[in-house]
């Protein structure tokens, strides 16, 4: 029992990331009808927003510290971040420590701008072209984006720690009456899961309960009629693209403490996220979220020792295997709608 | 000639000429000169040109003719590599049986994957092929690399069927029932074509120029010419026409009472066999097979090659393969020092500015250039380099580019 619970928990954080990326992919696909292969790159850009903010906050200048001397008796030169001068050393230090959560605020305008430029500058011209062309051009864009990041940040992963308040682990088992030490779960993963839930709930609420969201849903169902009613649906879809980019970016920001960001992390996630979208059903938002968590948890179950002993290698291929089975038995995915991508 | 139309014969002869004279053509700069780093006429790179050419030609038969975008073609490349490697380990170092087994095994593998994947189309097909390739990669990387026949003396299956991360390598302990266990020098033997070693090469010095003629290159080039010939025949055959019909309107094809599935599967299998052949050749040139050949980036690479060169054209994929491999091997070698040398004639400040501006795009950043080129081609030149060439030729001749197309009917738009 405790082992099962532990695997479910372990699957949640990866599942959250899959669900967030798949949600964005589905939003873009559902609104604009574009298959965005650069979505993983947006996830990666978000993660590097966190790295950048950390770097900016840590910008420092040299100060001659009279109290300390080196072995020759000269006063030591120490690096002091500017932020220490402005807010005092204690507040400054905690601001730097909390750079990852702060990066959420930092990344939102950046990701919205990136999404806006991408849609207006490139994707706009590909609505009428075949899906293969859309895949290809966004694939090229993904390469370009990740190479730019590689140029500025190098090829090595950059560790970006979570705030110290969340670095420990949480003994989840004692809450439910298990032996202490059986179910230990890092705090940050819990934070990530709740963060993902908030974002997902936010997106759904936005679509469901605002006038803007209602128009967008109407546009997803029948774009032409909405246009005929005199609504500028293109503008709203552009905003939805920016929101989807933002969701991917935020997923990346918060993922940095779990996995040190490197320039190809986006592509690694993208391949799996596409599988998630297809399993969930192309164009279905709840399907994407459901499939994201489902596959994340399945992957975590498949990597249990007992399962791997029974079926060696199953942990590596489970997601693809499930995708193949689902596509062949339920061609539209778990919750796919009729008439989406069937040509 | 050989049942080809006049236009195709001319193209085929040009390709024969180019591949046979490649050691000269790719070495235009004298040895030791500053431009010598742009010479691509060394055997290793030339072999890669033709091998990836074969891979891309095969991919083009599927994507160019039917429009089905496979994102998992590298799986067949990997299967071909492993098959050839096992042939070397078990039977002998002759490349012919090894290549035959590569082609047959990858063909069978393609039947299996194609039968399942082709039940869906569009993006679903892409995802299915991607999933299969990533599964093959994961299996080759982990499960198939575990010890299978226990602590046996030969240690043949010591690292499983695929050798895992390090890959499958030759060893002097391999059985090799039809050949020597070790070469003359006691090391692992070298792949050969009825006695001609793939690694052997002769050098020719003409003045300052050094031209290398490698047996391996000419063997691969010969295989590529056969592959190219077959692809021309497929493009011009009723079968090729059927595949184009699938691309333009599958539904209409159904209404006329034809079942497109067997044709699709045939195209997929042929395309997979080409990839397997390329994989086998890679091993024949350098006996080492690793799982990274099946990774999705390798599949992405062949997509890039085909699109860059010109999808649906005969010669495009080969050009694209050559361009990407040239960039990978030559452009990536240029570092900032070399750049500073080039622009040394400029005033100091300007030199630094120019070098800083160019630097991100070359050397280690060559992928960035590739990505930008690829995007530019997809956006502005859907026909790839071939279309670009035709447009330039057309502009030079002062008439419509259409007249000069060597492959004008490859991209005829269907009547809607």
């Amino acid at each position: 029992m405790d082992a099962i619970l532990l695997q479910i928990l372990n699957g949640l954080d990866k599942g959250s990331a899959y669900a967030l990326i798949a949600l964005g992919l589905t939003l873009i696909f559902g609104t604009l009808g574009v298959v965005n292969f650069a979505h993983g790159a947006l996830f990666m850009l978000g993660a590097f927003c966190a790295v950048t903010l950390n770097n900016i906050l840590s910008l420092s200048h040299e100060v001659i510290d009279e109290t300390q001397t080196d072995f020759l008796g000269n006063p030591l030169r120490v690096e002091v971040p500017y932020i220490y001068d402005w807010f005092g050393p204690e507040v400054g230090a905690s601001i730097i420590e909390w750079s990852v959560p702060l990066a959420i605020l930092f990344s939102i305008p950046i990701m919205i701008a990136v999404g806006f430029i991408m849609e207006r500058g490139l994707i706009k011209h590909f609505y009428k072209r075949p899906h293969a062309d859309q895949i290809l051009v966004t694939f090229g864009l993904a390469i370009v984006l990740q190479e730019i990041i590689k140029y500025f940040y190098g090829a090595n992963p950059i560790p970006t720690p979570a705030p110290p308040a969340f670095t420990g682990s949480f003994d989840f088992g004692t809450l439910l009456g298990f032996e202490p030490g059986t179910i230990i779960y890092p705090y940050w993963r819990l934070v990530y899961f709740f963060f993902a839930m908030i974002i997902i709930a936010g997106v759904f609420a936005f679509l469901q309960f605002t006038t803007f969201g209602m128009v967008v849903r109407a546009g997803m169902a029948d774009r032409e009629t909405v246009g005929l009613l005199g609504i500028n649906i293109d503008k709203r879809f552009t905003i939805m693209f920016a929101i989807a980019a933002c969701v991917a970016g935020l997923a990346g920001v918060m993922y940095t403490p779990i996995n040190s960001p490197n320039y190809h992390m986006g592509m690694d996630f993208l391949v799996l996220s596409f599988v998630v979208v297809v399993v969930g059903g192309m164009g279905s938002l709840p399907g994407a979220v459901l499939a994201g968590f489902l596959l994340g948890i399945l992957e975590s179950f498949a990597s249990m020792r007992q399962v791997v002993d029974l079926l060696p290698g199953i942990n590596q291929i489970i997601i693809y295997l499930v995708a193949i089975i689902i596509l062949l038995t339920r061609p539209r995915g778990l919750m796919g709608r009729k008439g989406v991508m069937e040509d | 000639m050989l049942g080809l139309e006049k236009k195709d014969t001319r193209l085929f002869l040009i390709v024969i000429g180019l591949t046979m004279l490649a050691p000269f053509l790719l070495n235009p700069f004298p040895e030791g000169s500053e431009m010598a780093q742009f010479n691509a006429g060394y055997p290793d790179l030339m072999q890669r040109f033709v091998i990836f050419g074969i891979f891309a030609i095969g991919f083009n038969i599927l994507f160019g003719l039917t429009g089905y975008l496979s994102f998992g073609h590298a799986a067949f490349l990997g299967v071909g590599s492993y098959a050839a490697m096992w042939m070397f380990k078990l039977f002998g170092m002759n490349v012919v049986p090894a290549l035959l087994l590569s082609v047959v095994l990858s063909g069978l593998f393609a039947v299996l994957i194609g039968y399942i994947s082709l039940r869906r189309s569009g993006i679903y097909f892409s995802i299915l092929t991607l999933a299969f390739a990533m599964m093959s990669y994961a299996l080759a990387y982990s499960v198939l690399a575990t010890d299978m026949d226990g602590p046996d003396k030969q240690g043949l299956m010591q690292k499983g069927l695929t050798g895992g991360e390090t890959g499958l390598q030759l060893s002097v302990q391999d059985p090799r029932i039809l050949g020597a266990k070790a070469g003359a020098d006691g090391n692992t033997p070298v792949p050969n074509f009825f006695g001609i070693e793939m690694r052997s090469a002769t050098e020719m010095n003409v003045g300052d120029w050094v031209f290398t003629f490698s047996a391996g290159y000419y063997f691969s080039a010969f295989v590529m010419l056969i592959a190219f010939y077959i692809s021309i025949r497929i493009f011009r055959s009723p079968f090729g026409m059927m595949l184009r019909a699938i691309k333009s309107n599958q539904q209409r094809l159904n209404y006329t009472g034809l079942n497109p599935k067997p044709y699709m599967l045939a195209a997929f299998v042929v395309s997979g066999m080409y990839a397997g052949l390329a994989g086998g050749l890679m091993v024949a040139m350098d006996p080492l097979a690793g799982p990274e050949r099946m990774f999705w980036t390798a599949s992405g690479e062949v997509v890039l090659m085909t699109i860059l060169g010109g999808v649906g054209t005969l010669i495009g994929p080969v050009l694209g393969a050559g361009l990407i491999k040239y960039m990978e091997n030559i452009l990536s070698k240029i570092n900032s020092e070399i750049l500073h040398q080039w622009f040394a004639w400029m005033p100091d400040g300007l030199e630094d500015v120019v070098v800083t501006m160019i630097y991100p795009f070359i050397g280690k950043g060559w992928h960035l250039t590739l990505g930008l080129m690829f995007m530019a081609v997809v956006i502005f030149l859907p026909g790839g380099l071939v279309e670009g060439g035709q447009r330039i030729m057309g502009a030079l001749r002062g008439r419509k580019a259409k007249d000069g197309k060597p492959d004008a009917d490859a991209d005829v738009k269907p009547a809607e």
Side-chain angles (χ1 to χ4, degrees):
Chain A
M1 185 60 205
D2 51 341
I4 292 172
L5 206 63
L6 185 65
Q7 294 311 321
I8 291 178
L9 283 174
N10 278 338
L12 282 184
D13 62 303
K14 229 173 184 180
S16 315
Y18 292 154
L20 283 177
I21 301 176
L23 181 70
L25 270 175
T26 312
L27 265 183
I28 293 174
F29 181 76
T31 51
L32 300 170
V34 169
V35 182
N36 182 16
F37 247 64
H39 208 68
L42 294 173
F43 176 75
M44 185 251 327
L45 281 185
F48 276 90
C49 278
V51 174
T52 313
L53 185 71
N54 197 340
N55 289 352
I56 292 175
L57 291 179
S58 318
L59 276 182
S60 49
H61 59 114
E62 270 188 358
V63 169
I64 296 167
D65 188 349
E66 301 286 353
T67 56
Q68 290 172 290
T69 50
D70 61 9
F71 64 99
L72 288 173
N74 299 323
L76 260 184
R77 290 171 168 276
V78 284
E79 293 271 321
V80 177
Y82 286 107
I83 206 152
Y84 283 21
D85 301 349
W86 300 337
F87 299 103
E90 276 165 27
V91 181
S94 60
I95 287 179
I96 291 179
E97 280 164 357
W98 282 77
S99 68
V100 171
L102 283 176
I104 294 175
L105 299 176
F106 177 69
S107 69
I108 288 175
I110 294 181
M111 292 314 296
I112 286 182
V114 167
F116 199 77
I117 293 168
M118 224 173 113
E119 205 277 332
R120 284 290 97 183
L122 182 75
I123 311 270
K124 187 177 81 174
H125 306 287
F126 277 79
Y127 293 157
K128 298 260 160 62
R129 307 256 300 248
H131 285 303
D133 278 6
Q134 298 169 351
I135 295 178
L136 293 172
V137 80
T138 47
F139 180 53
L141 182 67
I143 296 177
V144 170
L145 286 178
Q146 76 178 34
E147 287 304 313
I148 292 174
I149 290 295
K150 185 177 156 196
Y151 179 72
F152 284 108
Y153 293 91
N156 295 325
I158 302 166
T160 316
F166 296 112
T167 44
S169 290
F170 173 49
D171 200 340
F172 206 78
T174 49
L175 262 184
L176 299 166
F178 294 114
E179 292 282 303
T182 42
I183 304 181
I184 292 179
Y185 199 62
Y187 281 115
W188 188 260
R189 295 184 180 224
L190 217 54
V191 170
Y192 193 80
F193 171 67
F194 284 118
F195 175 77
M197 289 317 276
I198 291 169
I199 297 269
I200 291 167
V203 169
F204 276 93
F206 178 70
L207 285 175
Q208 208 66 40
F209 301 124
T210 61
T211 320
F212 186 96
M214 193 179 71
V215 174
V216 167
R217 277 187 296 131
M220 283 166 86
D222 189 345
R223 179 183 186 139
E224 216 166 321
T225 311
V226 175
L228 288 173
L229 290 171
I231 296 169
N232 186 353
I233 193 74
D234 284 357
K235 198 172 123 196
R236 284 157 207 261
F237 279 179
T238 307
I239 294 172
M240 282 320 286
F241 188 97
I243 290 175
C246 202
V247 168
L250 290 179
V253 168
M254 295 295 275
Y255 207 70
T256 45
I258 299 177
N259 209 345
S260 303
N262 55 13
Y263 71 99
H264 55 77
M265 72 188 291
M267 279 298 193
D268 301 345
F269 266 91
L270 180 83
V271 172
L272 287 171
S273 305
F274 255 109
V275 174
V276 167
V277 169
V278 169
V279 167
M282 207 83 193
S284 157
L285 293 175
V289 174
L290 180 76
F293 282 111
L294 201 68
L295 290 184
I297 291 169
L298 258 181
E299 193 182 16
S300 137
F301 268 108
S303 40
M304 279 169 79
R305 169 117 34 93
Q306 293 92 323
V307 180
V308 174
D309 282 347
L310 200 66
L311 294 164
I314 188 75
N315 54 334
Q316 309 268 345
I317 61 168
I318 180 81
I319 288 193
Y320 304 109
L321 210 59
V322 170
I324 290 165
I325 292 169
I326 293 220
L327 272 188
L328 293 178
T329 52
R330 281 186 67 91
R332 285 186 196 117
L334 288 177
M335 302 174 82
R337 285 176 296 138
K338 197 179 176 192
V340 176
M341 287 270 351
E342 297 201 332
D343 45 340
Chain B
M1 188 186 83
L2 294 168
L4 297 179
E5 286 170 29
K6 203 174 157 197
K7 210 169 51 183
D8 296 331
T9 311
R10 200 178 57 197
L11 180 68
F12 191 46
L13 287 176
I14 293 173
V15 173
I16 291 179
L18 288 178
T19 42
M20 288 299 133
L21 297 177
F24 297 105
L25 296 173
L26 293 173
N27 255 2
F29 307 111
E31 202 64 23
S33 74
E34 215 165 276
M35 299 300 278
Q37 56 191 328
F38 290 105
N39 281 343
Y42 54 95
D44 185 44
L45 183 55
M46 288 194 299
Q47 284 161 11
R48 257 179 248 179
F49 284 164
V50 289
I51 291 173
F52 279 92
I54 295 174
F55 191 18
I57 291 173
F59 182 76
N60 190 38
I61 291 177
L62 181 70
F63 182 46
L65 287 181
T66 69
Y68 274 58
L69 176 57
S70 158
F71 243 85
H73 242 55
F76 308 119
L77 193 77
V79 169
S81 293
Y82 286 124
M85 204 64 202
W86 275 107
M87 211 63 180
F88 286 152
K89 282 169 99 68
L90 295 177
F91 292 99
M93 298 306 289
N94 196 329
V95 293
V96 176
L99 289 184
L100 282 178
L101 188 73
S102 310
V103 173
V104 170
L105 266 191
S106 52
L108 287 176
F109 198 55
V111 171
L112 182 75
I113 293 185
Y115 182 74
I116 301 175
S117 309
L118 285 168
R119 295 171 65 167
R120 313 289 300 140
S121 62
I123 177 131
Y124 292 108
F125 174 79
S126 304
I127 299 288
L128 274 174
T129 45
L130 177 65
F132 274 116
M134 287 306 286
M135 261 173 72
S136 318
Y137 166 77
L139 290 176
Y141 198 87
S142 58
V143 185
L144 296 177
T146 46
D147 188 1
M148 284 196 189
D149 49 340
D152 70 333
K153 281 166 203 146
Q154 283 185 327
L156 185 64
M157 294 285 266
Q158 205 178 24
K159 299 188 77 183
L161 206 55
T162 59
E165 194 180 352
T166 47
L168 203 57
Q169 286 162 335
L170 287 179
S171 148
V172 283
Q173 275 130 30
D174 294 334
R176 256 189 291 285
I177 47 180
L178 290 177
K181 287 196 176 191
D185 51 358
N187 292 329
T188 52
V190 181
N192 63 66
F193 175 67
F194 298 109
I196 307 170
E197 287 195 354
M198 286 295 135
R199 221 176 273 167
S200 63
T202 47
E203 288 193 348
M204 188 170 95
N205 291 291
V206 181
D208 283 341
W209 282 266
V210 179
F211 302 113
T212 317
F213 303 96
S214 131
Y217 168 70
Y218 276 100
F219 179 75
S220 329
F222 192 65
V223 175
M224 190 209 72
L225 287 175
I226 298 173
F228 187 62
Y229 173 73
I230 296 174
S231 115
I232 300 182
R233 292 303 297 258
I234 289 178
F235 267 64
R236 300 287 176 249
S237 66
F239 170 64
M241 198 52 94
M242 193 60 101
L243 298 179
R244 278 189 205 129
I246 292 171
K247 184 181 187 178
S248 58
N249 198 333
Q250 203 166 339
Q251 215 163 15
R252 200 172 284 176
L253 204 65
N254 281 327
Y255 290 155
T256 52
L258 283 159
N259 181 8
K261 285 280 143 62
Y263 295 96
M264 295 290 319
L265 187 61
F268 192 82
V269 171
V270 168
S271 169
M273 283 159 99
Y274 267 77
L277 179 65
L281 268 177
M282 274 177 174
V283 168
M285 297 305 125
D286 179 19
L288 175 73
E292 74 284 347
R293 264 179 211 167
M294 294 180 156
F295 199 58
W296 71 268
T297 44
S299 306
E301 199 180 16
V302 74
V303 177
L304 293 180
M305 286 172 181
T306 312
I307 306 286
L308 263 187
V311 62
T313 60
L314 286 169
I315 190 72
V318 186
L319 292 180
L323 180 72
I324 289 187
K325 287 292 145 189
Y326 186 82
M327 281 173 70
E328 181 184 321
N329 288 280
I330 307 290
L331 200 61
S332 62
K333 276 192 302 197
I334 303 168
N335 53 29
S336 60
E337 273 175 39
I338 298 175
L339 272 185
H340 274 289
Q341 274 176 22
W342 287 353
F343 295 104
W345 50 272
M346 286 182 169
D348 272 355
L350 193 61
E351 179 192 328
D352 286 343
V353 172
V354 170
V355 169
T356 342
M357 276 170 63
I358 298 180
Y359 184 64
F361 297 97
I362 53 142
K364 281 179 185 159
W366 73 274
H367 267 114
L368 182 59
T369 319
L370 178 66
L372 289 171
M373 267 173 65
F374 179 70
M375 280 178 70
V377 163
V378 175
I379 297 169
F380 302 111
L381 267 183
L385 293 179
V386 170
E387 192 191 327
Q390 282 161 1
R391 282 195 193 171
I392 293 171
M393 290 295 281
L396 285 180
R397 287 185 197 158
R399 55 176 175 167
K400 275 189 189 170
K402 209 177 152 196
D403 302 344
K405 274 187 187 175
D407 190 29
D409 57 343
D411 43 21
V412 169
K413 292 282 179 292
E416 288 296 337

